[in-house]
Amino acid sequence: MKFCIASIALLASSVSGFVANQPTISRQDTQLFERKAFITGNWKLNPTTKGEAMALAQDIVKNVSSESPGDIALFVPFPFIETVQNICGDKISIGAEMCTPQDSGAFTGGISAQMLKSIGVEWVLAGHSERRTINAEDDYEINAQCLKLIENDMSVMLCIGETLDEYESDLAGAVCETQLKKALNNISKEEMSRVAIAYEPVWAIGTGKVATPEIAQDVHAKCRAILALIYDQETADSTRILYGGSVSPDSVDGLMSKPDIDGALVGGASLSAESFSRIINFEFVGHH
């Protein structure tokens, strides 16, 4: 894939001010909503002990039923993966928070895709803003992680999003296009069935600030347009794009009612069984 500066400039200008220019439309009003909702939680460096992880998983999974409206996954710290898998069974997919692109060798602290696959992990996060900033993972490293996961027939949750400075400079569209094109380099149209996108405005992660449903919908629609440019409209329409950034029980219904928001990547609220269970069992606004 070629990196197109001109198209980035156009997207940067078109997203100016995050003015939602999409028609007012609910999620259930269009045929594109064959994409099944995907609600996911990222525990990050939590909880403190195995016992706490067990208790949290038990309290979450008991609120998952056949009436829950979407697929569910939890990305948990490595030491807890198998324990939480055993508790959640087939109700919740248990994923890893990162992997390294190397298969083996002198990489102290590394976790390979093959290691994760061997214990039944399917989904792995790549590109989370905390990994980009704290661990200095760039788009090329993230692309290598994505390629390695797909090579091993696993699935990747690719995180993208702009910083506060970029947001205030009206660069969200440009940043998302850059991150998508670089991270998806050499990933084929067919392999996109193993990729979900999580749009996480960095300014909203852990800050309590949430992009309004209208802001999030506008950026999600632009991300889907970028996927159509990279691949085609069919691929864009079939790819699930999740919103992440201080998602809460109070905000989830409005977010999930937007046509291009297919799920949520939930941070802090996934550490509360009560809050995350409400998010899992979201309701479409206007369709109660």
Side-chain angles (χ1 to χ4, degrees):
M1 296 163 206
K2 298 277 178 98
F3 185 73
C4 180
I5 298 296
S7 61
I8 287 182
L10 283 171
L11 273 162
S13 62
S14 66
V15 79
S16 178
F18 284 99
V19 176
N21 53 18
Q22 305 298 318
T24 300
I25 184 171
S26 78
R27 182 175 177 80
Q28 296 182 344
D29 288 337
T30 164
Q31 63 183 359
L32 296 185
F33 300 133
E34 296 177 0
R35 297 185 299 269
K36 190 174 183 181
F38 196 12
I39 302 296
T40 66
N42 176 17
W43 283 3
K44 306 186 181 185
L45 190 59
N46 301 289
T48 307
T49 67
K50 177 181 176 180
E52 291 172 347
M54 292 173 66
L56 178 57
Q58 288 165 351
D59 287 342
I60 290 172
V61 75
K62 69 184 182 184
N63 289 296
V64 177
S65 72
S66 59
E67 300 300 314
S68 299
D71 294 328
I72 307 162
L74 282 170
F75 297 96
V76 309
F78 297 125
F80 305 149
I81 288 176
E82 289 185 286
T83 297
V84 176
Q85 283 175 330
N86 291 334
I87 291 169
C88 293
D90 60 4
K91 288 186 173 182
I92 301 177
S93 177
I94 307 305
E97 297 179 13
M98 59 80 67
C99 76
T100 48
Q102 296 82 13
D103 290 324
S104 61
F107 301 99
T108 301
I111 301 288
S112 73
Q114 290 174 327
M115 291 176 182
L116 294 170
K117 186 177 181 179
S118 74
I119 60 170
V121 169
E122 177 186 357
W123 284 93
V124 180
L125 293 177
H128 193 281
S129 64
E130 290 157 5
R131 299 293 306 179
R132 292 177 187 265
T133 55
I134 299 169
N135 301 90
E137 294 183 359
D138 61 20
D139 290 312
Y140 301 101
E141 168 81 6
I142 293 160
N143 174 242
Q145 295 170 17
C146 293
L147 290 170
K148 184 56 65 174
L149 289 165
I150 290 171
E151 178 186 312
N152 282 277
D153 297 321
M154 299 169 71
S155 298
V156 59
M157 179 73 69
L158 172 61
C159 303
I160 62 171
E162 78 284 355
T163 65
L164 181 60
D165 286 344
E166 291 164 338
Y167 167 74
E168 292 178 341
S169 299
D170 298 329
L171 292 173
V175 171
C176 289
E177 180 168 14
T178 299
Q179 293 177 346
L180 283 171
K181 284 193 169 184
K182 288 185 175 180
L184 297 176
N185 189 40
N186 291 323
I187 293 175
S188 70
K189 167 184 166 70
E190 292 72 26
E191 290 167 337
M192 281 298 292
S193 63
R194 294 193 171 276
V195 178
I197 308 297
Y199 167 63
E200 295 192 297
V202 178
W203 50 270
I205 299 174
T207 63
K209 298 178 181 179
V210 184
T212 65
E214 291 72 26
I215 289 173
Q217 162 60 25
D218 190 48
V219 180
H220 277 234
K222 287 178 170 61
C223 288
R224 202 172 302 284
I226 293 165
L227 292 175
L229 289 172
I230 298 172
Y231 297 101
D232 54 29
Q233 193 62 51
E234 179 185 19
T235 303
D237 288 342
S238 63
T239 301
R240 293 191 284 190
I241 305 177
L242 286 63
Y243 173 77
S246 299
V247 177
S248 70
D250 292 332
S251 64
V252 67
D253 293 347
L255 289 164
M256 289 303 299
S257 292
K258 293 300 182 182
D260 286 293
I261 300 178
D262 303 315
L265 178 57
V266 183
S270 70
L271 299 173
S272 162
E274 180 180 1
S275 294
F276 193 58
S277 296
R278 171 63 181 84
I279 292 170
I280 287 171
N281 295 292
F282 68 88
E283 300 176 0
F284 293 114
V285 172
H287 296 271
H288 293 183

